Amino acid sequence: MIPTHTLSRFIRAQERLHPGSTGELSELLSSIALGVKLISQIVTTAGFKGLYGYSGRTNIQDEQTRLLDEEADQVLVEILGSSGHFGLLVSEEQDSVIATDARQENAKYIVAFDPLDGSSNIGSNIPVGTIFAIYKKLDGRGPAKVDDFFQPGTQLVAAGYSVYGAKTTFVYSTGEGVHDFTLDPSIGEFVLTEKSIKIPERGNIFSINEGNSPYWEEGTKNYVSLVKTLDKSRGYPYSSRYVGSLVADFDRTIRKGGIFLYPASTKHPKGRLRLLYECIPLSFIMEQAGGMAVDGTEKRVLDIVPEDIHERCALVVGSRHDVKEYLSSVYDPKKA
Ligand code: AHM
Ligand code: MG
């Protein structure tokens, strides 16, 4: 089949639907796609380049970083930093915000990213990925500042993720649906594989690290016991799947339906995942696909205003029916 719908053509076609658009957003999405292609190549060849090991450094969350985390980080910092469109960058791998040359030229956009999500899995040939969130600066004038990142997800301009697995995908949204592209390595291009992804209203898979069950709050315990009940009239039990790479668990959830949970617990009182470059972008995509994303209470993740660039957040995301059922188990334990 001739790949007529490449990512760059698709982005430009979307842009033409908005007369007067400057083309900047298209350029910055293309920069991210270039970074992702480079990381995909690095991930594929990391084993024989000896990049699976630890770097000897710990990040601000006190996690040991791997050589591959640092490589992926460097790629995105260089590609996005030199694109001329982003004034500031936030990376999971760097303690503070990263200023770019374009900052002084008042670049309009800022971007937060997790360069290599799930990297504890890399030596096992399990999918890993990249997540990004793009905002406009709060104030049109002057260099970007750290406060520009403290906007709720409802203000996102675009968000997306890639999964480096059996195939490399690029899934993104600019607030007009969620579109899925697959890298064709023979031509080095992302090709459209699904336009306007919609998550099923209800799934039959739940995804949570059950090893954390001794630390869970009652609501999570109630819900997980509900989905494991033998009650066919209510559609239970569900299947269990947990990859341990957020991008991979999320990607399955958005395509097949169901629910992914990384709740608050006594072990992770604020949740384990990061708000700015994991929970907010994926919640934006989930809502765009017709699903729901809450912080384990009734609060929509997209309504949370970050107060710190590396803040953590609890995440319950997936099909509308399943997230609502989770909330009723939390608020009405007798249901479970
Ligand atoms: P990372 O960004 O440092 O890779 O950490 C986030 C990862 C997610 O990909 C995944 O959902 C989660 O951590 C797994 O955590 P756990 O091992 O506690 O289940
Ligand atoms: Mg991550």
Side-chain angles (χ1 to χ4, degrees):
M1 201 173 72
I2 309 284
T4 50
H5 289 358
T6 62
L7 177 64
S8 46
R9 283 182 163 195
F10 185 86
I11 290 171
R12 274 199 293 277
Q14 295 288 104
E15 186 190 312
R16 282 196 288 275
L17 301 176
H18 299 274
S21 73
T22 61
E24 268 180 285
L25 184 59
S26 304
E27 281 182 42
L28 53 89
L29 284 170
S30 301
S31 295
I32 292 179
L34 172 61
V36 159
K37 281 191 225 172
L38 292 168
I39 296 173
S40 170
Q41 181 59 20
I42 292 169
V43 167
T44 312
T45 53
F48 39 82
K49 289 185 181 155
L51 292 175
Y52 285 160
Y54 290 101
S55 66
R57 236 178 37 86
T58 51
N59 64 18
I60 195 158
Q61 4 240 331
D62 227 16
E63 296 162 342
Q64 290 190 295
T65 61
R66 296 190 181 243
L67 292 164
L68 202 49
D69 283 317
E70 296 196 349
E71 288 269 323
D73 179 55
Q74 206 181 335
V75 165
L76 286 186
V77 169
E78 284 189 20
I79 297 282
L80 304 187
S82 64
S83 70
H85 295 296
F86 295 111
L88 284 178
L89 321 176
V90 159
S91 166
E92 178 184 326
E93 299 307 331
Q94 305 212 23
D95 299 355
S96 20
V97 289
I98 307 151
T100 69
D101 290 345
R103 186 185 187 190
Q104 297 311 330
E105 290 152 27
N106 298 337
K108 272 200 306 204
Y109 296 97
I110 53 171
V111 60
F113 51 83
D114 180 353
L116 202 65
D117 177 62
S119 57
S120 62
N121 282 322
I122 51 171
S124 323
N125 208 7
I126 288 172
V128 291
T130 297
I131 310 171
F132 66 90
I134 299 173
Y135 289 96
K136 260 191 190 150
K137 284 187 317 195
L138 280 166
D139 176 357
R141 290 185 303 274
K145 48 197 182 310
V146 65
D147 288 4
D148 291 329
F149 286 101
F150 302 152
Q151 303 184 50
T154 47
Q155 299 304 309
L156 273 178
V157 171
Y161 66 91
S162 272
V163 183
Y164 313 112
K167 57 184 180 172
T168 293
T169 55
F170 184 87
V171 176
Y172 85 99
S173 177
T174 54
E176 295 177 332
V178 180
H179 311 300
D180 170 50
F181 294 81
T182 303
L183 184 62
D184 179 344
S186 66
I187 54 171
E189 291 270 9
F190 281 107
V191 178
L192 182 66
T193 28
E194 192 172 347
K195 195 176 171 199
S196 302
I197 297 179
K198 287 288 169 215
I199 185 171
E201 179 64 23
R202 179 178 187 178
N204 57 13
I205 297 173
F206 75 103
S207 185
I208 188 168
N209 182 344
E210 286 206 76
N212 287 332
S213 59
Y215 311 108
W216 290 343
E217 294 169 349
E218 279 310 298
T220 305
K221 288 183 181 164
N222 292 332
Y223 180 70
V224 173
S225 71
L226 169 70
V227 295
K228 296 199 294 188
T229 309
L230 181 56
D231 186 349
K232 296 223 158 128
S233 65
R234 291 178 67 194
Y236 298 117
Y238 277 9
S239 283
S240 166
R241 297 281 185 278
Y242 188 75
V243 177
S245 276
L246 174 62
V247 279
D249 282 314
F250 181 88
D251 195 65
R252 181 200 56 249
T253 305
I254 203 168
R255 291 170 202 274
K256 292 193 164 180
I259 188 166
F260 171 87
L261 311 96
Y262 212 118
S265 65
T266 51
K267 187 176 176 193
H268 300 107
K270 293 185 169 169
R272 175 177 179 342
L273 302 173
R274 273 50 60 105
L275 179 60
L276 200 55
Y277 38 82
E278 292 180 324
C279 299
I280 286 180
L282 295 183
S283 297
F284 180 80
I285 294 198
M286 185 54 82
E287 287 200 6
Q288 282 293 315
M292 268 179 88
V294 296
D295 72 348
T297 71
E298 284 168 306
K299 186 157 188 147
R300 196 180 162 212
V301 171
L302 294 187
D303 285 335
I304 301 173
V305 181
E307 294 177 353
D308 183 279
I309 57 172
H310 295 298
E311 184 173 336
R312 295 191 189 255
C313 180
L315 180 66
V316 176
V317 65
S319 296
R320 294 186 68 78
H321 170 95
D322 296 307
V323 175
K324 284 184 187 160
E325 196 74 288
Y326 170 82
L327 289 173
S328 26
S329 296
V330 169
Y331 292 107
D332 181 9
K334 287 191 296 298
K335 271 197 81 171

